[in-house]
Amino acid sequence: MTQTITVIRGDGIGPEIMDATLHVLDAMNVGLSYEFADAGLVALEKHGELLPAATMDSIRKNRIALKSPLTTPVGEGFSSINVELRKRFDLYANVRPAKSFPNTKSRFPSGVDLITVRENTEGAYIGEGQTLSEDGETAMLTQKITRRGSERIVRYAFDLARKTGRKKVTVVHKANILKSTSGLFLKTAREVAQQYPDIQCNEMIVDNTCMQLVMRPEQFDIIVTTNLFGDIISDLCAGLVGGLGLAPGANIGTDAAIFEAVHGSAPDIAGKGIANPCALLLGAAQMLDHLGQPDKATKLREAIIATLEAKDSLTPDLGGEANTMAFAKAIASRATA
Ligand code: NAI
Ligand code: MG
């Protein structure tokens, strides 16, 4: 059976890494067909809108989107198209795997294999209730945490642990100081954890978590936390394993899910055909997991690792001389071997 997904080719290096990714998916016969939709700068130029209604309709209908990076023009409409997409589709779970890969410039070329599950819709990050006093001396911000929001993200993390055979969920908080907000998150997390006796659960204060991640990242399996802490921790984790070129992310809601690379549109190298397609390919692997094709997802990840190990088809950011499509073709041939 063929499933249709929405494909957003995006801006800058977006089309280059998307073509490479679709080449690999097609070679692997994953049974997907693509409905292309525009967003970002390219949509603004073609349709006069950063996020056209037709694109929203396509995602709403197909429920799954694979998205390349978008350039958000400064001073044009909303602050970020990505934040807008999360809001409109209530994509409450931001899922960010961080795994050690061979032959990358990384502090931890082995040993790290963790997933950060970040709450995506509430907390200080969304900037609710921001005010600045008339004299410009005092700024305020409201931080809203709800039981419902906390429960569904923690439940997502525990369900993900079960689904992926992971053993431990670490609840990251600051409930010792932020007693009401982080306190409610932690209390709710404890209640949810009781319903998953098969999964180990521990609690860690966010500042200690940062130190532990840098010193002994191998102790973590799944991390679940609130929006702002998750924003910072997920980038920290990407840094542990070699940075943005290898970091995918998923934004998951009840009615839709969007899979992407974490990095941006890289205007400095756009059009040169030298962008590293791995982050988007790893996003596609997350999508295959989500679509119930874990065997294909594993095959794709293994092909990426084997290609990194072989070192013969890497893009310049990884120290090689290959172009984007040559890298993708090397991955595709290993994924179909
Ligand atoms: P960026 O991630 O696009 O680039 C940072 C640096 O990393 C650049 O030197 C770039 O060449 C390099 N880089 C990024 N991805 C790469 C890849 N796949 N292969 C090789 N090198 C890569 O971040 P920057 O420059 O801050 O943002 C550029 C644009 O991207 C901005 O308009 C920003 O708004 C947008 N952006 C979009 C995101 C999204 O759609 N998810 C996320 C982050 C930024
Ligand atoms: Mg971030």
Side-chain angles (χ1 to χ4, degrees):
M1 204 189 77
T2 301
Q3 164 143 15
T4 304
I5 64 166
T6 299
V7 172
I8 299 173
R9 294 173 85 240
D11 298 312
I13 60 169
E16 299 161 51
I17 58 173
M18 185 60 80
D19 289 350
T21 298
L22 298 185
H23 172 82
V24 177
L25 291 178
D26 288 343
M28 291 181 73
N29 271 323
V30 293
L32 296 178
S33 71
Y34 314 123
E35 185 170 287
F36 291 92
D38 292 322
L41 210 53
V42 67
L44 187 67
E45 279 156 13
K46 267 164 74 178
H47 316 284
E49 269 181 296
L50 287 167
L51 197 50
T55 301
M56 296 295 293
D57 290 345
S58 173
I59 299 173
R60 197 171 294 117
K61 180 175 57 134
N62 297 321
R63 300 164 68 102
I64 302 285
L66 185 62
K67 180 182 109 6
S68 266
L70 308 174
T71 300
T72 301
V74 180
E76 196 80 44
F78 15 88
S79 56
S80 157
I81 309 163
N82 296 306
V83 172
E84 191 62 25
L85 278 168
R86 288 175 198 172
K87 235 195 298 191
R88 296 226 204 144
F89 287 109
D90 193 26
L91 305 174
Y92 67 91
N94 182 223
V95 184
R96 293 265 303 259
K99 186 174 161 48
S100 297
F101 287 108
N103 291 326
T104 53
K105 288 180 232 138
S106 156
R107 276 171 204 280
F108 296 96
S110 69
V112 180
D113 184 5
L114 63 86
I115 301 176
T116 304
V117 176
R118 161 190 173 191
E119 204 292 321
N120 231 354
T121 63
E122 52 186 39
Y125 185 92
I126 60 169
E128 217 174 358
Q130 295 196 79
T131 60
L132 183 62
S133 65
E134 260 174 38
D135 61 6
E137 296 291 322
T138 308
M140 303 282 282
L141 163 72
T142 306
Q143 181 175 356
K144 183 170 86 182
I145 296 287
T146 67
R147 177 181 296 279
R148 172 179 173 270
S150 303
E151 193 192 327
R152 67 178 178 173
I153 195 68
V154 176
R155 196 171 287 289
Y156 185 90
F158 276 93
D159 286 340
L160 183 67
R162 271 191 184 158
K163 213 168 81 181
T164 55
R166 288 174 181 262
K167 301 277 177 280
K168 183 166 86 173
V169 172
T170 301
V171 179
V172 173
H173 66 92
K174 190 75 187 180
N176 52 326
I177 305 294
L178 305 174
K179 291 190 196 310
S180 63
T181 50
S182 218
L184 178 58
F185 178 73
L186 179 60
K187 180 169 177 282
T188 309
R190 284 177 180 162
E191 289 163 9
V192 172
Q194 284 190 348
Q195 296 161 33
Y196 295 82
D198 48 319
I199 307 290
Q200 195 193 331
C201 177
N202 67 337
E203 301 164 5
M204 203 177 279
I205 295 172
V206 62
D207 37 354
N208 180 36
T209 305
C210 290
M211 185 185 72
Q212 295 292 333
L213 275 167
V214 171
M215 296 185 71
R216 281 203 312 118
E218 65 282 354
Q219 70 183 285
F220 295 94
D221 198 351
I222 289 183
I223 289 172
V224 63
T225 191
T226 45
N227 204 342
L228 183 56
F229 296 161
D231 179 41
I232 298 164
I233 281 180
S234 56
D235 270 21
L236 192 161
C237 293
L240 291 176
V241 296
L244 292 175
L246 293 157
N251 293 288
I252 295 177
T254 313
D255 300 324
I258 301 179
F259 299 84
E260 62 185 354
V262 166
H263 61 71
S265 54
D268 53 335
I269 57 165
K272 297 185 178 160
I274 56 166
N276 177 357
C278 281
L280 188 61
L281 276 164
L282 290 164
Q286 269 184 291
M287 179 180 75
L288 293 174
D289 272 329
H290 187 82
L291 289 173
Q293 299 197 53
D295 297 347
K296 297 271 188 186
T298 301
K299 198 134 199 146
L300 176 51
R301 289 189 189 99
E302 284 172 358
I304 291 170
I305 291 170
T307 307
L308 288 169
E309 267 166 357
K311 269 186 167 174
D312 53 5
S313 314
L314 306 183
T315 43
D317 60 300
L318 296 171
E321 290 173 4
N323 64 31
T324 307
M325 202 40 118
F327 194 3
K329 283 185 173 160
I331 292 168
S333 75
R334 289 188 172 98
T336 52

